[in-house]
Amino acid sequence: MGEQRIGFLGPKGTFTKMAVDALFDGGTFVSYESIPACLDAVENGDVQTGVVPLENAIEGSVHLTIDYLVHQVDQSIIAELTVPIKQHLLVHPNQKNQPIERIYSHSHAIAQCHQYLHKHYPEAEIEYTASTGRAAEIVAEQGPGIAAIGNHLAAEENGLTIIDTNIHDYDNNHTRFAVVQKQPETLKVKDHPVSTQKTTVMVTLPKDYVGALHQVLAAFAWRKMNLSKIESRPMKTGLGNYFFLIDVDQPYDQVLFPGVQAELSALGCELKVLGTYPSYQIDVPTPVEKA
Amino acid sequence: MGEQRIGFLGPKGTFTKMAVDALFDGGTFVSYESIPACLDAVENGDVQTGVVPLENAIEGSVHLTIDYLVHQVDQSIIAELTVPIKQHLLVHPNQKNQPIERIYSHSHAIAQCHQYLHKHYPEAEIEYTASTGRAAEIVAEQGPGIAAIGNHLAAEENGLTIIDTNIHDYDNNHTRFAVVQKQPETLKVKDHPVSTQKTTVMVTLPKDYVGALHQVLAAFAWRKMNLSKIESRPMKTGLGNYFFLIDVDQPYDQVLFPGVQAELSALGCELKVLGTYPSYQIDVPTPVEKA
């Protein structure tokens, strides 16, 4: 095995990059500008491993990741990372006591700090940018009198000063990332606690009939298999056709899962395993404010 | 009842505005820059009605809408709209045969047209903007030699020419919008077919126990109530606590729903009705290309 090449949804200073830096122990990191571009790179072999947002992400469309994994590529989820979302207020290092006239960030980050902005900067103009990383770049280029909302990596990479930390309105916001590979290989990761082993399956129903999902879940329930997430998603074949994404809180095994599969198959459903993997919880320390 | 005031997630030329124009029969339309700002305006009474993306939207974070409706405001969903997502390639009216060197759009729109761009404009630089509307504005300002990806409204509002229609990689992509009010009043809407009557409920479990969701769904299943969508969402009180959003394919009634509620209550679950409403399907004609 040569050096690991890891693709991620960029650019620099994103939450995805923060997760990648925290997880992997060495390797070459390659930034991609969109989720499909990153997953295509895994598919083509340009990188062995890809990291894309799976849930609640600032930068990426989560549904896009799921739909692309299900419809476009043949890859497995081999790990997941959860990273707390901590937003900070970033200014130019030359900022003194000038009023902050404009605040830049991605629309999702602005929305996450809605109450903070309303309370502390009601007069500031809000400018929307394509990413939190881009907002930080703008502040670095334009100088004092403006601010960006972003994470501590965006501050570091652009030489900005953090004047207020954890300005997001709610705690307990996490972004969840999927680590995917075409041919599952061992990852070289830093020493992180694994919170749980999970298996993600996709279940498709033959057609939309009353109580179908209830029957599907029964196959898991009587085996005492705990489900930590369930979501229905429309198939691309038309309205009214759904598939279900289900996270089971245990690793794939040769007894329970084949049993579920046989039972669902008898109901006319199809079960596909999208991955069985460790879940890493990455902590992000709150940086020190420079008031 | 005076003239209806309708707030929506702006700016001009968005898919949200397209839905609003198609649905409402008159009224004053007020653009808001974020989902929380729009829902706050409904809460404060600045507008009676708000329209925000609920699922699969280009511009908005869907989870944000749900979380804000659940945690921050006391409003009901009184209608939903589904609108097909049709992306087009927009150029300046003075564009002749110049090569298109850069293509601008929101990252989600770029991702939706990933294969098209790869095939037809492999050499073009991609520039990410805060919205598809902003991308169209840039083309209007900067002139020929560049293009934007956006909808036909963005073309109209910015005086651009559509040179290629329906360039999104997949059909059957829809955006779903919620129409919300604090005190449900009648809407003045154009004559649209109502595809179905729905009820959206939120179910919270006392704690994460094996098979809980299965028991919850049993309460609906044995009453032959069809569920068209189900999604688990983390509570903001910490990891591991979930609530479920469930769309039931029928209007609220005084027999079945109270029965479900009593049964869930006996299990220690709580059921809250977020709205019972008509679902409008809005069609968007494909504009004529000017090659």
Side-chain angles (χ1 to χ4, degrees):
Chain A
M1 188 171 93
E3 194 191 39
Q4 57 188 356
R5 279 174 66 83
I6 298 134
F8 66 96
L9 177 68
K12 66 180 184 178
T14 60
F15 282 89
T16 315
K17 184 57 165 53
M18 213 160 75
V20 164
D21 285 347
L23 182 70
F24 290 96
D25 190 17
T28 303
F29 301 110
V30 187
S31 168
Y32 291 93
E33 290 201 320
S34 73
I35 291 167
C38 185
L39 296 177
D40 279 355
V42 175
E43 200 68 11
N44 303 337
D46 295 343
V47 294
Q48 295 104 318
T49 307
V51 181
V52 287
L54 195 59
E55 195 177 326
N56 204 22
I58 304 285
E59 301 105 356
S61 163
V62 171
H63 288 161
L64 192 65
T65 299
I66 293 295
D67 290 350
Y68 213 78
L69 280 178
V70 164
H71 296 293
Q72 282 302 303
V73 292
D74 184 22
Q75 298 170 18
S76 296
I77 302 173
I78 58 154
E80 73 165 21
L81 310 175
T82 61
V83 179
I85 296 178
K86 296 185 179 177
Q87 302 285 12
H88 313 304
L89 195 66
L90 320 180
V91 295
H92 195 272
N94 296 342
Q95 170 78 28
K96 304 282 183 224
N97 293 322
Q98 300 97 323
I100 290 178
E101 291 177 0
R102 282 190 310 286
I103 297 179
Y104 292 81
S105 202
H106 188 280
S107 62
H108 296 184
I110 296 284
Q112 287 180 343
C113 304
H114 176 68
Q115 292 173 41
Y116 170 87
L117 292 172
H118 187 71
K119 185 169 171 194
H120 296 280
Y121 295 96
E123 306 294 321
E125 261 180 73
I126 303 298
E127 294 276 349
Y128 294 90
T129 56
S131 66
T132 52
R134 179 66 196 132
E137 271 179 16
I138 290 172
V139 173
E141 288 161 15
Q142 298 194 4
I146 60 176
I149 295 173
N151 62 39
H152 72 89
L153 186 61
E156 269 173 46
E157 303 236 18
N158 292 283
L160 302 183
T161 304
I162 296 175
I163 55 166
D164 210 352
T165 57
N166 294 344
I167 65 170
H168 46 277
D169 295 332
Y170 302 101
D171 282 337
N172 295 314
N173 262 322
H174 287 74
T175 297
R176 188 176 161 215
F177 299 94
V179 181
V180 297
Q181 289 185 336
K182 199 160 170 59
Q183 278 140 357
E185 291 176 33
T186 315
L187 291 177
K188 280 187 282 187
V189 299
K190 292 176 185 166
D191 191 23
H192 283 288
V194 172
S195 67
T196 179
Q197 291 278 344
K198 285 188 180 178
T199 304
T200 296
V201 299
M202 169 189 171
V203 176
T204 42
L205 308 182
K207 57 176 188 152
D208 193 26
Y209 63 94
V210 172
L213 179 59
H214 175 244
Q215 283 191 295
V216 168
L217 296 187
F220 294 97
W222 76 258
R223 288 178 175 85
K224 295 189 191 296
M225 296 167 82
N226 198 32
L227 310 182
S228 57
K229 182 174 166 65
I230 180 159
E231 186 177 352
S232 58
R233 293 280 306 137
M235 292 294 286
K236 297 295 182 190
T237 49
L239 283 174
N241 297 314
Y242 283 83
F243 65 88
F244 294 92
L245 279 168
I246 298 174
D247 287 356
V248 189
D249 264 355
Q250 58 193 70
Y252 187 86
D253 67 86
Q254 294 299 340
V255 179
L256 292 172
F257 280 90
V260 169
Q261 191 146 22
E263 206 169 312
L264 294 187
S265 180
L267 293 170
C269 302
E270 197 188 324
L271 181 145
K272 184 182 171 189
V273 177
L274 296 184
T276 183
Y277 51 85
S279 174
Y280 296 99
Q281 304 217 4
I282 309 267
D283 196 24
V284 179
T286 295
V288 178
E289 291 173 26
K290 289 170 195 157
Chain B
M1 190 172 93
E3 194 191 40
Q4 55 187 357
R5 279 174 66 82
I6 299 135
F8 66 96
L9 177 68
K12 67 181 184 178
T14 59
F15 282 88
T16 314
K17 183 58 166 50
M18 214 160 74
V20 164
D21 285 347
L23 183 71
F24 290 96
D25 190 18
T28 302
F29 301 110
V30 187
S31 168
Y32 291 93
E33 290 201 320
S34 73
I35 291 166
C38 184
L39 295 178
D40 279 356
V42 175
E43 200 67 11
N44 302 337
D46 295 342
V47 293
Q48 296 105 316
T49 307
V51 181
V52 288
L54 196 58
E55 195 176 326
N56 204 23
I58 305 285
E59 303 104 357
S61 163
V62 171
H63 288 159
L64 192 65
T65 298
I66 293 294
D67 290 351
Y68 214 78
L69 280 178
V70 164
H71 296 295
Q72 281 303 304
V73 291
D74 184 22
Q75 296 169 17
S76 297
I77 302 173
I78 58 151
E80 74 166 19
L81 310 176
T82 60
V83 179
I85 295 177
K86 295 184 179 178
Q87 303 283 13
H88 313 304
L89 196 65
L90 320 179
V91 296
H92 195 272
N94 297 340
Q95 170 78 28
K96 306 282 184 223
N97 292 322
Q98 300 96 326
I100 290 177
E101 290 177 1
R102 283 190 310 284
I103 297 178
Y104 293 80
S105 202
H106 188 281
S107 62
H108 297 185
I110 296 282
Q112 287 181 343
C113 304
H114 176 67
Q115 292 173 40
Y116 170 87
L117 293 171
H118 187 70
K119 186 169 170 195
H120 297 279
Y121 295 96
E123 306 294 320
E125 262 181 73
I126 303 298
E127 294 277 348
Y128 294 91
T129 55
S131 67
T132 52
R134 178 67 195 130
E137 270 178 16
I138 290 172
V139 173
E141 287 160 15
Q142 297 193 4
I146 60 175
I149 293 173
N151 61 39
H152 72 91
L153 187 62
E156 269 171 49
E157 301 237 15
N158 292 282
L160 301 184
T161 304
I162 297 176
I163 54 166
D164 211 352
T165 56
N166 294 343
I167 64 170
H168 45 279
D169 295 332
Y170 303 102
D171 283 335
N172 296 313
N173 262 324
H174 287 75
T175 298
R176 188 177 161 212
F177 299 94
V179 181
V180 297
Q181 288 184 337
K182 199 159 171 60
Q183 278 140 356
E185 291 175 34
T186 314
L187 290 178
K188 278 187 281 187
V189 298
K190 292 177 185 164
D191 190 23
H192 282 288
V194 171
S195 67
T196 179
Q197 291 277 345
K198 285 188 181 179
T199 304
T200 296
V201 300
M202 170 188 169
V203 176
T204 42
L205 307 182
K207 59 175 186 152
D208 192 26
Y209 64 94
V210 172
L213 178 59
H214 175 245
Q215 283 191 295
V216 168
L217 296 187
F220 294 96
W222 77 257
R223 288 178 176 84
K224 295 189 191 298
M225 297 166 81
N226 198 31
L227 310 181
S228 57
K229 183 176 164 66
I230 180 160
E231 186 176 353
S232 57
R233 293 280 308 137
M235 293 292 285
K236 296 296 182 191
T237 50
L239 284 175
N241 296 314
Y242 283 83
F243 66 88
F244 294 92
L245 280 168
I246 298 175
D247 287 355
V248 189
D249 264 354
Q250 59 193 70
Y252 188 85
D253 68 87
Q254 294 298 340
V255 179
L256 293 171
F257 280 91
V260 169
Q261 192 146 22
E263 204 169 313
L264 295 187
S265 180
L267 293 170
C269 301
E270 196 189 325
L271 181 145
K272 184 181 171 191
V273 177
L274 296 184
T276 183
Y277 51 84
S279 173
Y280 296 99
Q281 303 215 7
I282 309 266
D283 195 23
V284 179
T286 296
V288 178
E289 291 174 26
K290 291 170 194 154

